[in-house]
């Protein structure tokens, strides 16, 4: 089950990439990460997320705002197709993901809310491999700027810059498939925001999952991510707040359920070791089914 860009962009003074956010919802790619459709197959994915944070922290890990409350509800849809065409030993894959996001923010001087389309993720071509118990892929993701930016609005949805980067994911299924070991590595190069003249730093993160089947239909897992901003934020080409580099370690439980066609998962992630970002909790529901339903699955 693979992911897409979803989450949050705050409308407070910029922190750890512009407004404390990323074009990608870090932590979402922890469910059968390396499993893309087999050649000639198409999968449909739906993701629902709820994120809540009652503080945003600075570079010392302490609260940076006296009044802060953030609530985000996001729904995203993705279509992924693996072609019969081969290249470098793998099959070509294309996918697109579109998120719709509602945000509610409480900061001085009040309460603000907005609903809009976030950063659309487009992957024209990637490479997908399946070898016995090992499944992996490599691709280049491109994220479009979020929609509906308004300079007069306190709250805007999505990051309003282009971003690109290499992504590689892998899933290994030993123990006759009863055990799952998954990981995904990503590095994103952020372009400048032409609306605000802010240039977010580049980002590296690893998402991971270790799962064990508890019966034929379900598996329990420990899932999480490690996030580190690698270059400085800049405002008008000048380093912003000593670089303002974000950091986060998210971790929590996950339940995966196998369906007759595809699968679903529910999971929880808690932010820890946070610097220059909001600190909160994320709840996820994800489902993947073949498209059309009689076309088979992974």
């Amino acid at each position: 089950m693979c992911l897409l860009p979803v989450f949050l962009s705050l409308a407070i003074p910029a922190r750890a990439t512009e407004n404390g956010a990323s074009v990608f919802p870090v932590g979402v790619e922890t469910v059968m990460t390396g499993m893309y459709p087999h050649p000639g197959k198409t999968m449909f994915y739906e993701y629902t997320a709820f994120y809540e944070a009652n503080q945003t922290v600075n570079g010392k890990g302490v609260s940076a705002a006296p009044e802060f409350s953030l609530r985000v509800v996001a729904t995203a849809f993705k279509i992924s197709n693996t072609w019969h065409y081969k290249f470098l030993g793998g099959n070509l894959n294309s996918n697109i993901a579109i998120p719709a996001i509602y945000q509610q923010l409480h900061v001085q001087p009040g309460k603000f809310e907005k609903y809009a389309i976030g950063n659309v993720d487009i992957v024209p071509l990637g490479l997908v491999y399946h070898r016995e118990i090992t499944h992996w892929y490599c691709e280049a993701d491109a994220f479009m700027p979020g929609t509906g930016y308004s300079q007069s609005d306190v709250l805007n949805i999505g990051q309003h810059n282009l971003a690109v980067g290499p992504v590689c994911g892998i899933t290994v299924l030993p123990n006759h498939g009863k055990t799952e070991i998954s990981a995904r590595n990503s590095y994103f190069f952020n372009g400048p925001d032409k609306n605000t003249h802010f240039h977010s730093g580049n980002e590296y993160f690893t998402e991971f999952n270790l799962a064990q089947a508890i019966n034929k239909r379900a598996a329990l897992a420990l899932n999480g991510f490690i996030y580190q901003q690698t270059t400085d934020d800049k405002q008008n080409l000048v380093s912003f707040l000593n670089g303002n580099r974000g950091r986060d370690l998210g971790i929590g439980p996950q339940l995966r359920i196998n369906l007759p066609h595809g699968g679903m998962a529910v999971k929880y992630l808690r932010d820890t070791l946070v610097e220059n970002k909001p600190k909160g909790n994320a709840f996820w529901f994800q489902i993947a089914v073949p498209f059309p339903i009689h076309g088979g699955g992974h």
Side-chain angles (χ1 to χ4, degrees):
M1 198 178 289
C2 299
L3 232 290
L4 49 122
V6 200
F7 256 50
L8 65 115
S9 171
L10 314 183
I12 55 177
R15 309 198 62 81
T17 67
E18 189 170 15
N19 304 321
S22 172
V23 294
F24 186 83
V26 183
V28 68
E29 286 281 18
T30 63
V31 186
M32 290 287 187
T33 308
M35 298 286 287
Y36 264 41
H38 283 291
K41 304 298 183 181
T42 302
M43 293 292 289
F44 172 80
Y45 304 85
E46 190 277 335
Y47 309 87
T48 299
F50 173 74
Y51 181 80
E52 59 88 20
N54 293 318
Q55 62 176 322
T56 183
V57 301
N58 60 21
K60 297 182 180 179
V62 298
S63 179
E67 295 182 21
F68 180 88
S69 175
L70 174 69
R71 302 293 183 267
V72 180
V73 179
T75 301
F77 303 95
K78 177 179 179 179
I79 292 286
S80 176
N81 181 77
T82 300
W83 308 95
H84 285 292
Y85 304 107
K86 283 188 170 290
F87 182 70
L88 297 178
N91 284 85
L92 296 177
N93 173 276
S94 302
N95 59 79
I96 184 171
I98 303 174
I101 306 170
Y102 168 79
Q103 293 181 11
Q104 184 183 96
L105 177 68
H106 292 253
V107 291
Q108 294 178 349
K111 173 183 174 181
F112 309 90
E113 58 184 9
K114 197 168 188 178
Y115 177 82
I117 300 298
N119 299 98
V120 175
D121 182 11
I122 300 174
V123 182
L125 290 175
L127 289 173
V128 175
Y129 299 84
H130 301 280
R131 300 288 188 274
E132 297 181 350
I133 67 170
T134 305
H135 312 266
W136 74 100
Y137 66 90
C138 294
E139 64 186 31
D141 283 40
F143 297 92
M144 302 299 102
T147 62
Y149 175 82
S150 174
Q151 188 175 5
S152 62
D153 288 351
V154 172
L155 184 62
N156 280 295
I157 300 295
Q159 300 298 88
H160 292 83
N161 60 272
L162 288 169
V164 297
V167 175
C168 290
I170 186 170
T171 292
V172 183
L173 300 172
N175 191 23
H176 303 287
K178 296 179 181 179
T179 302
E180 176 201 346
I181 304 168
S182 290
R184 169 180 159 126
N185 289 290
S186 305
Y187 192 93
F188 291 152
F189 299 88
N190 284 299
D193 184 334
K194 296 180 180 179
N195 299 297
T196 62
H197 306 290
F198 194 95
H199 195 157
S200 296
N202 298 334
E203 306 163 89
Y204 168 81
F205 52 92
T206 296
E207 298 157 293
F208 59 86
N209 173 38
L210 178 61
Q212 181 63 44
I214 55 178
N215 55 43
K216 293 182 179 180
R217 297 292 300 275
L220 286 175
L222 177 70
N223 78 137
F225 64 86
I226 300 169
Y227 171 92
Q228 180 64 59
Q229 186 176 330
T230 60
T231 63
D232 290 352
D233 285 346
K234 293 183 178 180
Q235 179 77 60
N236 296 315
L237 303 180
V238 178
S239 183
F240 181 79
L241 293 181
N242 296 318
N244 201 42
R245 299 190 184 192
R247 184 186 74 178
D248 195 0
L249 168 64
I251 197 163
Q254 174 181 287
L255 173 65
R256 187 188 80 237
I257 299 174
N258 299 322
L259 301 176
H261 299 278
M264 60 176 287
V266 291
K267 65 184 185 182
Y268 165 76
L269 286 167
R270 181 175 180 82
D271 294 326
T272 67
L273 304 178
V274 180
E275 292 183 0
N276 294 318
K277 292 178 72 66
K279 183 177 182 180
N281 304 278
F283 302 87
W284 285 92
F285 169 79
Q286 304 172 203
I287 187 167
V289 294
F291 182 82
I293 191 67
H294 56 75
H298 289 126

